[in-house]
Amino acid sequence: MPPACRRRTAKKEPRRSPQPAAALEERIDEIMDRVQQADDNQVERVAALEEYLTLARAHEGEKWFDAGAWSEDLADSYLALGRVDDAVRTISDATRSGHAEGAEMLCELAEKLMRSGYEPQARLLWQHARADYPCDVWIYAQAGIGYGDIGDHAGALEWLTAGLELALRTGDPESALEQLRPLRASCLSALGRPSDEIQERAAWDEQGNTGER
């Protein structure tokens, strides 16, 4: 049975919630000071963030850690150092831990990887997002845009078709048709293909809101 549909939530900013035990709070503060002092020194930043996330895993469930947000920060530092596989692993591990913003985390890293020429690694993240959040239509839209941006119109068409079908099947609760339909039309044009039945269905669904065909 596929995972239940989950809605995206607003991305959380890095934060620490009160109040851990004094010794633990002191250690967290020391690590955060190192993160701040590292600035653009990605090696030092990675070392501090790895220590923070190790500490967070050791205190899983405690409210004063924000492993999701700092996992994204660590992944960015890994990318800056060319450690692509470590970036992918970090975000994959974070989403498997149940962070509510998991879909965004996967998609954002996938987009960065696409822009940097790491399509195979990005593809794994898109597939991961699709498997874990099968009812999130924006995953398909973002993947389609990502593939279109690198000129892979066939790859973009595959994602946009799946997204359009999902929107039509579910009654388009996210109002995604108005973005998906023109994106898919551009892919068809780039591939020299005519409009097809699913494009017509999508157009009819949009017009159907006004009672016109």
PDB file of all heavy atoms in Angstrom, residues 51-64:
ATOM      1  N   GLU A  51      28.973  17.071  14.263  1.00  0.00           N
ATOM      2  CA  GLU A  51      28.921  16.832  15.704  1.00  0.00           C
ATOM      3  C   GLU A  51      27.524  17.153  16.252  1.00  0.00           C
ATOM      4  O   GLU A  51      26.982  16.418  17.084  1.00  0.00           O
ATOM      5  CB  GLU A  51      29.971  17.689  16.409  1.00  0.00           C
ATOM      6  CG  GLU A  51      30.071  17.411  17.903  1.00  0.00           C
ATOM      7  CD  GLU A  51      31.216  18.163  18.554  1.00  0.00           C
ATOM      8  OE1 GLU A  51      32.163  18.554  17.839  1.00  0.00           O
ATOM      9  OE2 GLU A  51      31.160  18.354  19.785  1.00  0.00           O
ATOM     10  N   TYR A  52      26.929  18.243  15.753  1.00  0.00           N
ATOM     11  CA  TYR A  52      25.587  18.619  16.198  1.00  0.00           C
ATOM     12  C   TYR A  52      24.578  17.522  15.853  1.00  0.00           C
ATOM     13  O   TYR A  52      23.746  17.139  16.696  1.00  0.00           O
ATOM     14  CB  TYR A  52      25.180  19.936  15.548  1.00  0.00           C
ATOM     15  CG  TYR A  52      23.753  20.345  15.846  1.00  0.00           C
ATOM     16  CD1 TYR A  52      23.439  21.065  17.002  1.00  0.00           C
ATOM     17  CD2 TYR A  52      22.715  20.007  14.981  1.00  0.00           C
ATOM     18  CE1 TYR A  52      22.127  21.431  17.276  1.00  0.00           C
ATOM     19  CE2 TYR A  52      21.404  20.368  15.249  1.00  0.00           C
ATOM     20  CZ  TYR A  52      21.119  21.082  16.404  1.00  0.00           C
ATOM     21  OH  TYR A  52      19.823  21.440  16.673  1.00  0.00           O
ATOM     22  N   LEU A  53      24.626  17.014  14.636  1.00  0.00           N
ATOM     23  CA  LEU A  53      23.653  16.012  14.220  1.00  0.00           C
ATOM     24  C   LEU A  53      23.886  14.671  14.909  1.00  0.00           C
ATOM     25  O   LEU A  53      22.931  13.934  15.173  1.00  0.00           O
ATOM     26  CB  LEU A  53      23.684  15.858  12.694  1.00  0.00           C
ATOM     27  CG  LEU A  53      23.155  17.083  11.937  1.00  0.00           C
ATOM     28  CD1 LEU A  53      23.359  16.922  10.437  1.00  0.00           C
ATOM     29  CD2 LEU A  53      21.676  17.316  12.248  1.00  0.00           C
ATOM     30  N   THR A  54      25.122  14.353  15.208  1.00  0.00           N
ATOM     31  CA  THR A  54      25.398  13.152  15.998  1.00  0.00           C
ATOM     32  C   THR A  54      24.769  13.288  17.380  1.00  0.00           C
ATOM     33  O   THR A  54      24.154  12.347  17.908  1.00  0.00           O
ATOM     34  CB  THR A  54      26.911  12.927  16.129  1.00  0.00           C
ATOM     35  OG1 THR A  54      27.478  12.701  14.829  1.00  0.00           O
ATOM     36  CG2 THR A  54      27.214  11.727  17.012  1.00  0.00           C
ATOM     37  N   LEU A  55      24.886  14.481  17.955  1.00  0.00           N
ATOM     38  CA  LEU A  55      24.284  14.755  19.262  1.00  0.00           C
ATOM     39  C   LEU A  55      22.761  14.693  19.169  1.00  0.00           C
ATOM     40  O   LEU A  55      22.093  14.140  20.062  1.00  0.00           O
ATOM     41  CB  LEU A  55      24.737  16.135  19.738  1.00  0.00           C
ATOM     42  CG  LEU A  55      24.537  16.482  21.215  1.00  0.00           C
ATOM     43  CD1 LEU A  55      25.350  15.538  22.101  1.00  0.00           C
ATOM     44  CD2 LEU A  55      24.934  17.935  21.467  1.00  0.00           C
ATOM     45  N   ALA A  56      22.213  15.224  18.089  1.00  0.00           N
ATOM     46  CA  ALA A  56      20.758  15.199  17.911  1.00  0.00           C
ATOM     47  C   ALA A  56      20.241  13.768  17.818  1.00  0.00           C
ATOM     48  O   ALA A  56      19.188  13.441  18.382  1.00  0.00           O
ATOM     49  CB  ALA A  56      20.386  15.981  16.658  1.00  0.00           C
ATOM     50  N   ARG A  57      20.966  12.912  17.087  1.00  0.00           N
ATOM     51  CA  ARG A  57      20.539  11.506  16.975  1.00  0.00           C
ATOM     52  C   ARG A  57      20.603  10.803  18.324  1.00  0.00           C
ATOM     53  O   ARG A  57      19.774   9.929  18.613  1.00  0.00           O
ATOM     54  CB  ARG A  57      21.407  10.787  15.945  1.00  0.00           C
ATOM     55  CG  ARG A  57      21.079  11.153  14.495  1.00  0.00           C
ATOM     56  CD  ARG A  57      21.778  10.235  13.519  1.00  0.00           C
ATOM     57  NE  ARG A  57      23.215  10.430  13.532  1.00  0.00           N
ATOM     58  CZ  ARG A  57      23.862  11.305  12.765  1.00  0.00           C
ATOM     59  NH1 ARG A  57      23.180  12.073  11.926  1.00  0.00           N
ATOM     60  NH2 ARG A  57      25.177  11.421  12.815  1.00  0.00           N
ATOM     61  N   ALA A  58      21.573  11.184  19.135  1.00  0.00           N
ATOM     62  CA  ALA A  58      21.698  10.569  20.464  1.00  0.00           C
ATOM     63  C   ALA A  58      20.576  11.010  21.399  1.00  0.00           C
ATOM     64  O   ALA A  58      20.305  10.348  22.408  1.00  0.00           O
ATOM     65  CB  ALA A  58      23.053  10.916  21.077  1.00  0.00           C
ATOM     66  N   HIS A  59      19.922  12.132  21.067  1.00  0.00           N
ATOM     67  CA  HIS A  59      18.814  12.643  21.884  1.00  0.00           C
ATOM     68  C   HIS A  59      17.568  12.759  21.017  1.00  0.00           C
ATOM     69  O   HIS A  59      16.837  13.749  21.085  1.00  0.00           O
ATOM     70  CB  HIS A  59      19.177  14.003  22.489  1.00  0.00           C
ATOM     71  CG  HIS A  59      20.304  13.947  23.466  1.00  0.00           C
ATOM     72  ND1 HIS A  59      21.637  13.940  23.074  1.00  0.00           N
ATOM     73  CD2 HIS A  59      20.306  13.874  24.824  1.00  0.00           C
ATOM     74  CE1 HIS A  59      22.405  13.882  24.148  1.00  0.00           C
ATOM     75  NE2 HIS A  59      21.629  13.842  25.220  1.00  0.00           N
ATOM     76  N   GLU A  60      17.321  11.746  20.203  1.00  0.00           N
ATOM     77  CA  GLU A  60      16.206  11.778  19.269  1.00  0.00           C
ATOM     78  C   GLU A  60      14.883  12.012  19.998  1.00  0.00           C
ATOM     79  O   GLU A  60      14.611  11.406  21.028  1.00  0.00           O
ATOM     80  CB  GLU A  60      16.136  10.453  18.495  1.00  0.00           C
ATOM     81  CG  GLU A  60      15.114  10.441  17.383  1.00  0.00           C
ATOM     82  CD  GLU A  60      15.178   9.167  16.563  1.00  0.00           C
ATOM     83  OE1 GLU A  60      16.048   8.308  16.859  1.00  0.00           O
ATOM     84  OE2 GLU A  60      14.369   9.038  15.630  1.00  0.00           O
ATOM     85  N   GLY A  61      14.094  12.928  19.449  1.00  0.00           N
ATOM     86  CA  GLY A  61      12.810  13.243  20.054  1.00  0.00           C
ATOM     87  C   GLY A  61      12.838  14.447  20.965  1.00  0.00           C
ATOM     88  O   GLY A  61      11.781  14.978  21.326  1.00  0.00           O
ATOM     89  N   GLU A  62      14.024  14.912  21.335  1.00  0.00           N
ATOM     90  CA  GLU A  62      14.114  16.088  22.187  1.00  0.00           C
ATOM     91  C   GLU A  62      13.801  17.346  21.384  1.00  0.00           C
ATOM     92  O   GLU A  62      14.199  17.490  20.234  1.00  0.00           O
ATOM     93  CB  GLU A  62      15.525  16.197  22.803  1.00  0.00           C
ATOM     94  CG  GLU A  62      15.921  15.003  23.658  1.00  0.00           C
ATOM     95  CD  GLU A  62      15.165  14.953  24.980  1.00  0.00           C
ATOM     96  OE1 GLU A  62      14.319  15.838  25.218  1.00  0.00           O
ATOM     97  OE2 GLU A  62      15.413  14.028  25.770  1.00  0.00           O
ATOM     98  N   LYS A  63      13.080  18.287  22.003  1.00  0.00           N
ATOM     99  CA  LYS A  63      12.551  19.429  21.279  1.00  0.00           C
ATOM    100  C   LYS A  63      13.583  20.501  20.957  1.00  0.00           C
ATOM    101  O   LYS A  63      13.343  21.353  20.113  1.00  0.00           O
ATOM    102  CB  LYS A  63      11.408  20.059  22.078  1.00  0.00           C
ATOM    103  CG  LYS A  63      10.205  19.149  22.262  1.00  0.00           C
ATOM    104  CD  LYS A  63       9.123  19.828  23.066  1.00  0.00           C
ATOM    105  CE  LYS A  63       7.918  18.922  23.260  1.00  0.00           C
ATOM    106  NZ  LYS A  63       6.860  19.574  24.057  1.00  0.00           N
ATOM    107  N   TRP A  64      14.707  20.478  21.620  1.00  0.00           N
ATOM    108  CA  TRP A  64      15.646  21.587  21.414  1.00  0.00           C
ATOM    109  C   TRP A  64      16.611  21.364  20.259  1.00  0.00           C
ATOM    110  O   TRP A  64      17.495  22.175  20.019  1.00  0.00           O
ATOM    111  CB  TRP A  64      16.432  21.877  22.701  1.00  0.00           C
ATOM    112  CG  TRP A  64      17.012  20.657  23.344  1.00  0.00           C
ATOM    113  CD1 TRP A  64      18.139  19.991  23.009  1.00  0.00           C
ATOM    114  CD2 TRP A  64      16.456  19.955  24.461  1.00  0.00           C
ATOM    115  NE1 TRP A  64      18.341  18.918  23.811  1.00  0.00           N
ATOM    116  CE2 TRP A  64      17.328  18.872  24.730  1.00  0.00           C
ATOM    117  CE3 TRP A  64      15.325  20.137  25.254  1.00  0.00           C
ATOM    118  CZ2 TRP A  64      17.086  17.981  25.763  1.00  0.00           C
ATOM    119  CZ3 TRP A  64      15.109  19.242  26.279  1.00  0.00           C
ATOM    120  CH2 TRP A  64      15.971  18.173  26.536  1.00  0.00           C
TER     121      TRP A  64
END
